[in-house]
Coordinates of all heavy atoms in Angstrom, one line a residue:
D1466 N 13.5 16.0 2.4 CA 14.7 16.0 1.6 C 14.6 17.1 0.6 O 15.6 17.7 0.3 CB 14.8 14.6 0.9 CG 15.0 13.5 1.8 OD1 15.4 13.7 3.0 OD2 14.9 12.3 1.4
N1467 N 13.4 17.3 0.1 CA 13.2 18.4 -0.9 C 11.6 18.5 -0.9 O 10.9 17.9 -0.1 CB 13.7 18.0 -2.3 CG 13.3 16.6 -2.7 OD1 12.2 16.2 -2.8 ND2 14.4 15.8 -2.9
V1468 N 11.1 19.3 -1.8 CA 9.7 19.6 -1.8 C 8.9 18.3 -2.2 O 7.7 18.3 -2.0 CB 9.3 20.7 -2.7 CG1 9.9 22.0 -2.2 CG2 9.7 20.5 -4.2
Y1469 N 9.5 17.3 -2.7 CA 8.9 16.1 -3.2 C 9.0 14.9 -2.3 O 8.3 13.9 -2.5 CB 9.4 15.7 -4.6 CG 9.3 16.8 -5.6 CD1 10.5 17.5 -6.0 CD2 8.1 17.1 -6.2 CE1 10.3 18.5 -7.0 CE2 8.0 18.0 -7.2 CZ 9.1 18.8 -7.5 OH 9.0 19.8 -8.5
M1470 N 9.8 15.0 -1.2 CA 10.0 13.9 -0.4 C 9.9 14.3 1.1 O 10.7 15.1 1.5 CB 11.3 13.2 -0.7 CG 11.5 11.9 0.2 SD 10.4 10.6 -0.1 CE 10.8 10.1 -1.8
V1471 N 9.0 13.8 1.8 CA 8.8 14.1 3.2 C 8.9 12.9 4.1 O 8.4 11.8 3.7 CB 7.4 14.8 3.5 CG1 7.1 14.9 4.9 CG2 7.3 16.1 2.8
H1472 N 9.5 13.0 5.3 CA 9.6 11.9 6.2 C 9.0 12.2 7.5 O 9.1 13.4 8.0 CB 11.1 11.6 6.4 CG 11.9 11.3 5.2 ND1 11.8 10.1 4.5 CD2 12.7 12.0 4.5 CE1 12.5 10.1 3.5 NE2 13.1 11.3 3.4
L1473 N 8.4 11.2 8.1 CA 7.8 11.4 9.5 C 8.6 10.4 10.4 O 8.4 9.2 10.2 CB 6.3 11.0 9.5 CG 5.6 11.0 10.8 CD1 5.7 12.4 11.4 CD2 4.2 10.5 10.7
Q1474 N 9.4 10.9 11.2 CA 10.2 10.1 12.1 C 9.4 9.9 13.4 O 9.0 11.0 14.0 CB 11.5 10.7 12.4 CG 12.3 10.0 13.5 CD 12.8 8.6 13.1 OE1 13.4 8.5 12.0 NE2 12.6 7.6 13.9
M1475 N 9.1 8.7 13.8 CA 8.2 8.4 15.0 C 9.1 7.7 16.0 O 9.6 6.6 15.7 CB 7.0 7.6 14.6 CG 6.2 8.2 13.5 SD 4.7 7.3 13.1 CE 5.4 5.8 12.5
N1476 N 9.2 8.3 17.2 CA 10.0 7.7 18.3 C 9.1 7.4 19.4 O 8.0 8.0 19.6 CB 11.1 8.7 18.7 CG 12.1 9.0 17.6 OD1 12.5 8.1 16.8 ND2 12.5 10.2 17.4
S1477 N 9.5 6.6 20.4 CA 8.8 6.3 21.6 C 7.4 5.9 21.3 O 6.4 6.4 21.9 CB 8.9 7.5 22.6 OG 10.2 7.8 22.9
L1478 N 7.2 5.0 20.3 CA 5.9 4.7 19.9 C 5.1 4.0 21.0 O 5.6 3.2 21.8 CB 6.0 3.8 18.7 CG 6.3 4.5 17.4 CD1 6.8 3.5 16.3 CD2 5.1 5.3 16.9
K1479 N 3.8 4.3 21.0 CA 2.8 3.8 22.0 C 1.8 3.0 21.2 O 1.5 3.2 20.0 CB 2.2 4.9 22.7 CG 3.1 5.9 23.4 CD 2.4 7.1 24.0 CE 3.3 8.0 24.7 NZ 2.6 9.2 25.2
P1480 N 1.1 2.0 21.9 CA 0.0 1.3 21.3 C -1.0 2.2 20.7 O -1.6 1.9 19.6 CB -0.5 0.4 22.4 CG 0.7 0.2 23.3 CD 1.4 1.5 23.2
E1481 N -1.3 3.3 21.3 CA -2.3 4.2 20.8 C -1.9 4.9 19.5 O -2.7 5.6 18.9 CB -2.7 5.3 21.9 CG -1.6 6.0 22.5 CD -1.2 5.4 23.9 OE1 -1.1 4.1 23.9 OE2 -0.9 6.1 24.8
D1482 N -0.7 4.8 19.1 CA -0.3 5.3 17.8 C -0.7 4.4 16.7 O -0.5 4.7 15.5 CB 1.3 5.5 17.8 CG 1.7 6.6 18.7 OD1 1.1 7.6 18.9 OD2 2.8 6.4 19.4
T1483 N -1.2 3.2 17.0 CA -1.6 2.3 15.9 C -2.7 2.9 15.1 O -3.7 3.3 15.6 CB -2.1 1.0 16.6 OG1 -1.0 0.3 17.3 CG2 -2.7 0.0 15.5
A1484 N -2.4 2.9 13.8 CA -3.4 3.5 12.9 C -2.9 3.3 11.4 O -1.7 3.0 11.2 CB -3.6 5.0 13.2
V1485 N -3.7 3.7 10.5 CA -3.3 3.9 9.1 C -2.9 5.3 9.0 O -3.6 6.2 9.3 CB -4.4 3.5 8.1 CG1 -3.9 3.8 6.7 CG2 -4.8 2.1 8.2
Y1486 N -1.7 5.6 8.5 CA -1.1 6.9 8.4 C -1.2 7.3 6.9 O -0.8 6.6 6.0 CB 0.3 7.0 8.9 CG 0.4 6.9 10.4 CD1 0.1 5.8 11.1 CD2 0.8 8.1 11.1 CE1 0.2 5.8 12.5 CE2 0.9 8.1 12.5 CZ 0.6 7.0 13.2 OH 0.6 7.0 14.5
Y1487 N -1.7 8.6 6.7 CA -1.9 9.1 5.4 C -1.1 10.4 5.3 O -1.0 11.2 6.2 CB -3.3 9.4 5.1 CG -4.3 8.3 5.2 CD1 -4.9 7.9 6.4 CD2 -4.6 7.6 4.0 CE1 -5.7 6.8 6.4 CE2 -5.5 6.5 4.1 CZ -6.0 6.1 5.3 OH -6.9 5.1 5.3
C1488 N -0.5 10.7 4.1 CA 0.0 12.0 3.8 C -1.0 12.7 2.9 O -1.7 12.0 2.1 CB 1.4 12.0 3.3 SG 1.7 11.2 1.7
A1489 N -1.0 14.0 2.9 CA -2.0 14.7 2.2 C -1.4 16.1 1.8 O -0.5 16.6 2.4 CB -3.3 14.9 3.0
A1490 N -2.0 16.6 0.7 CA -1.5 17.9 0.2 C -2.7 18.8 -0.2 O -3.8 18.3 -0.4 CB -0.6 17.7 -1.1
G1491 N -2.5 20.1 -0.2 CA -3.5 21.0 -0.7 C -3.9 22.0 0.4 O -4.8 22.8 0.1
A1492 N -3.4 21.9 1.6 CA -3.7 22.8 2.7 C -2.6 22.8 3.7 O -1.6 22.1 3.6 CB -5.0 22.4 3.4
T1493 N -2.7 23.8 4.7 CA -1.7 23.8 5.8 C -2.4 23.8 7.1 O -1.9 24.2 8.1 CB -0.9 25.1 5.6 OG1 -1.8 26.3 5.6 CG2 -0.1 25.2 4.4
T1494 N -3.6 23.3 7.1 CA -4.5 23.3 8.3 C -4.4 21.9 9.0 O -3.7 21.0 8.6 CB -5.9 23.6 8.0 OG1 -6.5 22.5 7.3 CG2 -6.0 24.8 7.1
T1495 N -5.2 21.8 10.1 CA -5.3 20.5 10.8 C -6.5 19.7 10.5 O -6.8 18.7 11.1 CB -5.3 20.8 12.3 OG1 -6.5 21.5 12.7 CG2 -4.1 21.6 12.8
Y1496 N -7.3 20.2 9.5 CA -8.6 19.5 9.2 C -8.5 18.7 7.9 O -8.1 19.2 6.8 CB -9.6 20.6 9.0 CG -9.8 21.4 10.2 CD1 -9.3 22.7 10.4 CD2 -10.6 20.9 11.3 CE1 -9.4 23.5 11.5 CE2 -10.7 21.7 12.5 CZ -10.2 22.9 12.6 OH -10.3 23.7 13.7

């Protein structure tokens, strides 16, 4: 929406998507 609000739209969910989801800041990597 802006730099302060991010959305993750999840479609076609699978059982293997089950998890605790976290957002994080301070990098642009995959680690």
Side-chain angles (χ1 to χ4, degrees):
D1466 292 344
N1467 48 59
V1468 296
Y1469 302 104
M1470 182 64 70
V1471 172
H1472 303 284
L1473 177 64
Q1474 176 68 49
M1475 305 185 295
N1476 300 317
S1477 301
L1478 284 162
K1479 305 174 181 179
E1481 50 262 45
D1482 295 319
T1483 295
V1485 177
Y1486 284 71
Y1487 300 88
C1488 63
T1493 57
T1494 73
T1495 65
Y1496 300 100

